[in-house]
């Protein structure tokens, strides 16, 4: 049994006793409070019990879901600006219309006219630089969150996101705008880099399915809603108002973070409790049970290289990150080409072509609903059939049947668009693509949370880094591929590659646990 040590508040009243787990030394007798204060015996501070209300996992459901909704709101806002690279060095208007999958992109022609530039490379860079910031941010932010906690990183990056968004609106040159767009993308990556870790903090394994579905949906729906809103906004008020509206929305959510997003990371919560007890008991030798004993500098060095180590040396993380990156790149390839397809083949005007993205969005929402409703049930059912063990691999089983939506969607979208079939049919094809992407994207996020709970932020950061880089590169092949192969065979090629990828989750289902638990691939 661990002894408990009473303490007095400044007012002198006794409060509830905190369990102090004392490291036994010498004859093994536990020192009393007076002796502890007088000696250098070390004591370890732990949570009062598994049901300790200070642990985020024990908070009331209402508090948890409000936090997830606030977190998802900022993720949605930051990814409405999510950018996509240039896909063709043709006329400037063709480039920017193909880039209309970001909220800001529809205003690029106005911007280039205002700054008197016809440089197609800069027109592409001013949009795509944001995603490079998304790739850079998790490298720094995820490790910092495992040292200082989630909430300080959220609050600081939210403030900087608002500042950099306003700076974009006030930019007086193209170079200034490009610089602030990169910083904006870096700050905006916090919600996606740390969000999965927050979900792991709040929910036990068999309850994470719905939470991860809600959180993961927003970064993918943002680029769907972005062009619909951005096209009308930039046409009516100009490109600068795109940034002003986003700055206002981000400011509101930033305030909500201060109200509804307290610290959730158990390591930091327990460390704060330890600091409080040191002052109350006047015992500087108390230490957190989760304290590694390393200095901040050493801890930071280990934390900052952990995502890269996971990506390079963990076959599970590397394979799932690559799979996630490919389907993410597919989605963005559709985003960067759909405008050109419907303007050229169906004569859609620039003002309404953004509405074609709704098909992808509906498909993604369907995929989210399917995962949210089935994932936890599948996990629990498979665990009951296997001696109650909740294996992370069970999260991936939904990928195999639902993953077929992606190739089928590409076949329908490609051939119906090439043959000029009624415009609703290719949009239905993009809906299947959206559903299939979510069938890969969300289970991978959930798996990484279950498999790397204490270092979930680092695992998701590794996934986000690789996903952002590949997601920025794959769409480069969009229009050139369609020009060479046509819409039918071009999209069929993507469909065939999607079929080839299906064995990847099947292999992880069979061999993943063995590889994950292998000492050779343990990442600390």
């Amino acid at each position: 049994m661990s002894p408990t040590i009473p303490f007095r508040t400044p007012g002198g009243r006794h409060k509830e006793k905190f369990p102090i787990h004392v490291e036994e030394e010498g004859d093994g007798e536990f020192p009393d409070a007076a002796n502890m204060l007088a000696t250098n015996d070390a004591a370890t501070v732990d949570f009062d019990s598994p049901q300790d209300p200070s642990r985020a996992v024990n908070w009331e459901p209402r508090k948890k879901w409000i936090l997830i909704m606030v977190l998802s709101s900022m993720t949605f806002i930051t990814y409405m600006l999510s950018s996509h690279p240039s896909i063709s060095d043709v006329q400037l208007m063709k480039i920017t219309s193909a880039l209309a999958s970001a909220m800001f992109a529809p205003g690029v022609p106005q911007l280039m006219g205002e700054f008197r530039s016809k440089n197609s490379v800069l027109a592409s860079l001013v949009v795509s630089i944001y995603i490079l910031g998304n790739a850079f941010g998790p490298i720094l932010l995820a490790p910092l969150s495992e040292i200082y906690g989630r909430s300080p990183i959220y609050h600081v990056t939210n403030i900087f996101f608002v500042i950099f968004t306003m700076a974009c609106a006030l930019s007086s040159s193209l170079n200034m705008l490009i610089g602030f767009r990169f910083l904006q993308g870096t700050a905006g990556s916090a919600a996606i880099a740390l969000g999965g870790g927050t979900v792991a903090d709040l929910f036990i394994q068999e309850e994470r399915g719905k939470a991860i579905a809600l959180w993961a949906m927003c970064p993918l729906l943002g680029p769907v809603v972005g062009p619909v809103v951005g096209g009308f906004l930039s046409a009516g008020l100009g490109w600068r108002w795109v940034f002003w509206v986003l700055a206002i929305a981000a400011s509101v959510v930033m305030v909500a973070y201060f109200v509804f997003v307290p610290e959730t990371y158990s390591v930091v919560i327990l460390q704060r409790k330890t600091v409080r007890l040191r002052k109350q008991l006047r015992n500087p030798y108390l230490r957190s049970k989760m304290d590694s004993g390393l200095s901040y500098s050493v801890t930071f060095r280990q934390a900052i290289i952990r995502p890269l180590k996971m990506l390079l040396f963990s076959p599970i993380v590397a394979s799932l990150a690559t799979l996630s990156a490919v389907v993410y790149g597919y989605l963005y390839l559709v985003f960067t080409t759909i405008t050109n397809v419907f303007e050229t083949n169906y004569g859609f005007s620039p003002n309404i072509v953004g509405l074609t993205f709704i098909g992808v969005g509906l498909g993604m929402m369907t995929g989210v609903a399917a995962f949210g409703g089935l994932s936890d049930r599948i996990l629990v059912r498979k665990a009951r059939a296997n001696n109650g063990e909740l294996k992370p691999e069970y999260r991936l089983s939904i990928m195999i049947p639902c993953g077929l939506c992606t190739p089928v969607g590409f076949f329908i979208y490609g051939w119906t668009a090439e043959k000029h079939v009624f415009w609703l049919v290719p949009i239905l094809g993009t809906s299947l693509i959206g559903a299939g992407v979510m069938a890969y994207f969300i289970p991978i996020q959930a798996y990484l949370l279950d498999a790397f709970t204490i270092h979930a932020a680092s695992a998701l950061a590794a996934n986000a880094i690789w996903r952002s880089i590949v997601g920025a590169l794959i769409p480069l092949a969009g229009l050139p591929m369609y020009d060479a192969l046509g819409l039918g065979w071009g999209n069929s090629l993507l469909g065939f590659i999607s079929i080839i990828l299906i064995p990847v989750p099947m292999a992880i289902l069979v061999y993943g646990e063995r590889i994950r638990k292998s000492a050779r691939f343990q990442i600390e």
Side-chain angles (χ1 to χ4, degrees), residues 5 46 68 70 85 91 104 164 214-215 225 269 282 319 331 347-348 352 362 372-373 387 406 453 467 480:
I5 299 178
D46 198 358
I68 292 296
V70 173
Q91 299 176 1
F104 164 60
F164 294 142
L214 175 61
W215 166 73
V225 178
I269 292 174
R282 299 190 299 278
S319 59
L331 182 65
F348 281 33
I352 66 170
L362 291 176
N387 300 319
T406 303
T453 305
R467 185 183 69 232

Side-chain angles (χ1 to χ4, degrees), residues 98-113:
L99 290 169
S101 51
M103 185 173 179
F104 164 60
V108 172
Q110 294 177 354
L111 178 148
M112 300 303 288

Side-chain angles (χ1 to χ4, degrees), residues 418-437:
E418 178 167 301
K419 301 300 181 181
H420 294 232
V421 178
F422 181 56
W423 58 266
L424 183 59
V425 180
I427 289 180
L428 290 176
T430 64
S431 297
L432 288 174
I433 295 173
V437 167

Side-chain angles (χ1 to χ4, degrees), residues 348-366:
F348 281 33
S349 69
N351 287 337
I352 66 170
V353 73
L355 297 175
T356 58
F357 290 84
I358 293 177
V360 184
L362 291 176
M364 289 161 55
M365 292 180 68
T366 302

Side-chain angles (χ1 to χ4, degrees), residues 311-357:
L311 194 57
L312 294 175
F313 302 116
S314 171
I316 296 296
V317 174
S319 59
L320 288 179
T322 301
L323 183 60
S324 178
V326 170
V327 297
Y328 189 71
Y330 280 177
L331 182 65
Y332 277 55
L333 192 150
V334 173
F335 285 162
T336 56
T337 58
I338 195 171
T339 300
N340 184 69
V341 168
F342 280 90
E343 284 186 349
T344 303
N345 289 25
Y346 293 95
F348 281 33
S349 69
N351 287 337
I352 66 170
V353 73
L355 297 175
T356 58
F357 290 84

Side-chain angles (χ1 to χ4, degrees), residues 423-504:
W423 58 266
L424 183 59
V425 180
I427 289 180
L428 290 176
T430 64
S431 297
L432 288 174
I433 295 173
V437 167
M438 298 305 274
Y440 280 101
F441 188 82
I442 302 182
I444 289 173
Q445 304 287 311
Y447 173 86
L448 294 175
L449 287 183
D450 290 350
F452 303 96
T453 305
I454 193 66
H455 296 309
S458 291
L460 290 173
N463 186 59
I465 292 165
W466 191 233
R467 185 183 69 232
S468 296
I469 293 173
V470 176
L473 294 177
I474 287 181
L476 288 169
L479 288 184
M481 178 186 67
Y482 291 145
D483 289 340
L485 300 177
L487 289 174
W489 283 114
N491 283 289
S492 294
L493 174 62
L494 301 179
F496 290 134
I497 295 174
S498 298
I499 294 174
I500 295 174
L501 293 175
I502 291 177
V504 175

